[in-house]
């Protein structure tokens, strides 16, 4: 199982030390850019799920391209 945690900087070092002490836990820090990218992808996937469920309407591709 993979878990992504969002921890305040002043508390993160202590928690990372605790997690590193557990033999069954692997830790890996993400750069801010990578964390932001993951967050944006997660939001996009959630939006697609809402569109497929009919809770949100998709934009016309032509309108989207004209906006760019």
């Amino acid at each position: 199982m993979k878990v992504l945690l969002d921890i305040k900087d002043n508390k993160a070092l202590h928690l990372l030390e605790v997690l590193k002490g557990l033999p069954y836990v692997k830790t890996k820090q993400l750069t801010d850019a990578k964390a932001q990218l993951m967050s944006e992808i997660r939001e996009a996937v959630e939006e697609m799920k809402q569109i497929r469920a009919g809770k949100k309407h998709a934009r016309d591709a032509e309108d989207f391209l004209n906006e760019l």
Side-chain angles (χ1 to χ4, degrees), residues 4 6 9-11 19 23 26-27 29-30 35 39 41 46-47 54 59-60 66:
L4 179 63
D6 187 8
D9 288 344
N10 62 342
K11 304 290 184 181
L19 292 174
K26 294 179 186 176
T27 61
Q29 288 182 272
L30 300 176
S39 177
I41 290 171
E46 183 58 36
E47 186 174 356
R59 288 197 294 183
D60 183 55
N66 287 337

Side-chain angles (χ1 to χ4, degrees), residues 8-9 20 26 36 38 40-41 43 55 60 64 68:
K8 291 183 179 182
D9 288 344
K20 286 178 183 177
K26 294 179 186 176
Q36 182 177 356
M38 289 176 66
E40 290 171 357
I41 290 171
E43 289 174 15
K55 296 178 183 177
D60 183 55
F64 173 74
L68 295 177

